Amino acid sequence: MKELKTNKSKKMSIYLKLVAGIASLLMLAFFVMCTIQSVSDNLKDTGSQYFFMLTADPKLNLGFMWFTAVLCFFIVFQFWKISDQIGRDNSFSQENAESFHRMTISSIIIIIQYIVRIVLFIVLDKVNIMSLYLRGGMAIAFLLFAILTEALAGLVRNAYEMKQEADLTI
């Protein structure tokens, strides 16, 4: 029975790592594409026109974008670590609670960065309503993610503590 549970955990870990790997590749492709768009002044296709409309100032936006990218890859790395613990049949561990909490902190930093970006673009008069909606929406999405990951951190931490108490009782 224990062996069957371990095999299920390892299988789940592989699937989760596959999802993390695909997400990383898609994020990398997205951030590279946005970088190319940001440094190319003479692109005339419809997609480029929408991109420039949403970014307000593509070159200024580039640093903020890569700051976000680094934090997003850090979040995926934490997810990878959680997947690894699941594969070891150690889902409710202090390590997983800490990884979820680090994901929360990263999300909050991204939210602050979006707020700074909005304020900076308003001060520099390089803002349009579409870029405000985009950045505001992204800040809200990361806020929801931060709430979810902190709730999961608390859940995993409580389960870990209950498991420790049960182990001490035996």
Side-chain angles (χ1 to χ4, degrees):
M1 186 69 159
K2 175 89 171 149
E3 187 177 312
L4 180 63
K5 186 178 176 188
T6 303
N7 286 339
K8 280 185 176 182
S9 295
K10 285 181 182 179
K11 224 172 170 178
M12 175 63 80
S13 175
I14 290 168
Y15 290 137
L16 292 173
K17 287 178 180 180
L18 183 63
V19 168
I22 291 170
S24 294
L25 290 174
L26 290 173
M27 284 189 324
L28 182 63
F30 173 77
F31 288 119
V32 167
M33 180 200 69
C34 287
T35 300
I36 292 169
Q37 291 278 9
S38 293
V39 297
S40 301
D41 292 330
N42 57 356
L43 296 174
K44 302 293 183 209
D45 62 280
T46 307
S48 296
Q49 291 169 2
Y50 284 121
F51 175 78
F52 285 118
M53 182 177 72
L54 289 174
T55 56
D57 186 331
K59 289 188 174 53
L60 181 60
N61 194 49
L62 196 57
F64 285 114
M65 184 189 65
W66 277 102
F67 181 76
T68 302
V70 168
L71 289 171
C72 285
F73 283 114
F74 180 75
I75 288 170
V76 171
F77 175 69
Q78 295 304 312
F79 182 77
W80 184 279
K81 288 172 58 176
I82 291 168
S83 300
D84 200 38
Q85 290 294 320
I86 289 171
R88 293 183 183 139
D89 199 23
N90 192 23
S91 299
F92 299 116
S93 65
Q94 189 64 28
E95 294 86 1
N96 280 356
E98 290 170 3
S99 287
F100 277 122
H101 185 68
R102 283 190 287 269
M103 292 165 79
T104 300
I105 298 301
S106 298
S107 297
I108 291 170
I109 293 169
I110 291 172
I111 293 165
I112 292 168
Q113 178 261 145
Y114 271 112
I115 293 168
V116 167
R117 194 187 314 191
I118 289 169
V119 170
L120 181 65
F121 283 163
I122 289 171
V123 167
L124 295 175
D125 197 29
K126 294 188 178 261
V127 72
N128 60 51
I129 196 70
M130 289 302 294
S131 71
L132 280 177
Y133 285 150
L134 173 69
R135 284 172 185 75
M138 291 300 294
I140 290 169
F142 276 103
L143 176 62
L144 293 173
F145 183 76
I147 291 168
L148 176 67
T149 53
E150 193 58 26
L152 286 170
L155 176 75
V156 170
R157 191 174 296 109
N158 287 343
Y160 170 75
E161 289 170 2
M162 288 174 64
K163 187 174 90 171
Q164 293 299 334
E165 287 173 13
D167 289 347
L168 289 175
T169 307
I170 298 171

